[in-house]
Amino acid sequence: NLRKIINLLDLIENEIKSSNYKVIVILNEFGEVGKLICLVSKKNNIPVYFTPCVGIPNDGSEITPYMSDIINVDGIIDKEFLVKNGVDINKIYIRGSPKYELVLKRENIKIQKLTDIFSNKIYPLFKDKRKILLTINPIPIDSNRVLVNNVINALKKLENIQFIIKLHPRQNSEFIRKLVKENNYKAIIVKDVNIFDIINSCDILLTQDSAVILDAMIVGIPLISLDLVNKRLYYSGKYNYNDEKYIIKVYNENELYEKLKLLLNSHKYYNDYKKKLKENLKSIISYNDEKNYSPTKKIVSDLIKFYNE
């Protein structure tokens, strides 16, 4: 691993020294690449513009936020988090989310039928069924086993359910199919479908520590964040928006069942939660309903200023 990092550092050094960059834009800090690019850029006196695509991770970032010249954040909660952790408030701009710019203006579609990725069988989505969508991350097999088993056990206690599993593009899909079969439960397993449309076509989303939380909040569908896995198997709680202040979180199978039952059986609770999600979203992503709303234009304007300096 050390040799890999050294080689990567050499590649970045050579690229930056051989090119006439006016500004370096870093989109995320996952892994070593973003951090190394930031270090080398600052070493060579090149401005760094940090604009994370899915929020600021709260599990510790020692380099990019502190060394960047400008940090673009989606909303106030990320700004407050960075300031609390010692980042200069004067270089933090709330620009909104370029990722969700078009989605916020988009009219999502209601899917009428889905094709299972394994059987190729086409399943209609029944209006009289409560549709529960589970999105899965490419986490370790043991973690996904705990997750899927707990979800299915909770769903078995409910009636009139249509269960849909949306796989991650890098997901071990065959393993998930076997898990569902082992549990003797029916599920429609899909992969290549528009995430916003499939969320919009369901009644409740179940997900983990993922940007899909924001996807559901933007679409306006109630969600439950699953923290069912022991942290030594899989770390959960990485993003500031994955917090009980903003969304429903559950920590075991019984809690999941109780929250699902409440959401499905109480129209008031269901609708109140939808309203709460919409209000909470304003703290997470700065946006308005104006047609000219465009975080992208604001970011491009920032970069033009860098270029002209």
Side-chain angles (χ1 to χ4, degrees), residues 26-27 49-57 65 68 70-83 87-89 91-100 214 240 282-287 293 295-296 298-299 302:
I26 298 177
L27 299 180
Y49 190 98
F50 183 35
T51 178
C53 60
V54 288
I56 299 288
S68 299
I70 287 182
I71 306 167
N72 165 59
V73 295
D74 294 343
I76 189 63
I77 67 167
D78 280 340
K79 181 175 182 177
E80 290 175 346
F81 172 78
L82 289 173
V83 172
V87 178
D88 182 0
I89 191 172
K91 66 179 185 180
I92 304 172
Y93 296 171
I94 297 177
R95 294 300 196 213
S97 173
K99 176 181 177 181
Y100 292 112
L214 291 183
N240 292 311
K282 295 176 182 178
S283 297
I284 300 167
I285 297 179
S286 176
Y287 72 96
Y293 165 75
T296 303
K298 293 178 181 178
I299 291 171
D302 291 339

Side-chain angles (χ1 to χ4, degrees), residues 20-33:
N20 186 29
Y21 291 112
K22 294 287 188 178
V23 60
I24 298 292
V25 180
I26 298 177
L27 299 180
N28 68 60
E29 205 184 25
F30 304 131
E32 304 90 3
V33 179

Side-chain angles (χ1 to χ4, degrees), residues 5 8-9 12 32-41 63:
I5 292 173
L8 182 59
L9 184 59
I12 294 170
E32 304 90 3
V33 179
K35 297 174 184 178
L36 291 176
I37 290 174
C38 182
L39 285 169
V40 175
S41 300
I63 297 174

Side-chain angles (χ1 to χ4, degrees), residues 228-280:
L228 306 178
V229 182
N230 188 293
K231 291 186 187 297
R232 64 186 171 81
L233 293 178
Y234 174 69
Y235 177 79
S236 182
K238 184 174 184 178
Y239 295 106
N240 292 311
Y241 51 75
N242 187 13
D243 190 289
E244 289 172 338
K245 290 185 293 186
Y246 308 108
I247 59 176
I248 293 174
K249 292 189 72 171
V250 297
Y251 300 89
N252 57 59
E253 176 191 317
N254 289 332
E255 286 185 9
L256 174 59
Y257 165 68
E258 292 297 333
K259 288 298 183 183
L260 281 170
K261 185 172 67 171
L262 190 55
L263 283 167
L264 293 172
N265 293 338
S266 171
H267 291 295
K268 184 179 186 309
Y269 186 80
Y270 186 91
N271 290 326
D272 285 349
Y273 184 40
K274 285 180 69 173
K275 291 177 184 176
K276 179 183 176 183
L277 288 173
K278 187 174 182 180
E279 285 301 310
N280 289 341

Side-chain angles (χ1 to χ4, degrees), residues 1 13 15 21-22 38 99 112-113 126 135 148 155-156 164 167 169 174 180 198 207 211 225 240 249 259 265 275 279:
N1 284 341
E13 286 267 15
E15 170 62 25
Y21 291 112
K22 294 287 188 178
C38 182
K99 176 181 177 181
Q112 303 300 319
K113 55 188 178 181
F126 298 108
T135 61
V148 173
L155 293 180
K156 282 180 176 179
I164 303 157
L167 300 173
E174 179 63 25
V180 173
I198 195 169
T207 190
S225 177
N240 292 311
K249 292 189 72 171
K259 288 298 183 183
N265 293 338
K275 291 177 184 176
E279 285 301 310

Side-chain angles (χ1 to χ4, degrees), residues 160-198:
N160 210 28
I161 298 296
Q162 196 165 22
F163 183 38
I164 303 157
I165 298 177
K166 165 70 171 70
L167 300 173
H168 190 277
R170 293 185 283 113
Q171 186 69 43
N172 182 341
S173 51
E174 179 63 25
F175 170 71
I176 299 300
R177 184 189 69 82
K178 288 180 180 178
L179 269 182
V180 173
K181 189 175 181 180
E182 286 173 9
N183 279 277
N184 193 29
Y185 197 71
K186 291 182 179 179
I188 307 169
I189 303 177
V190 297
K191 197 169 191 176
D192 299 322
V193 294
N194 182 283
I195 186 64
F196 300 102
D197 290 339
I198 195 169

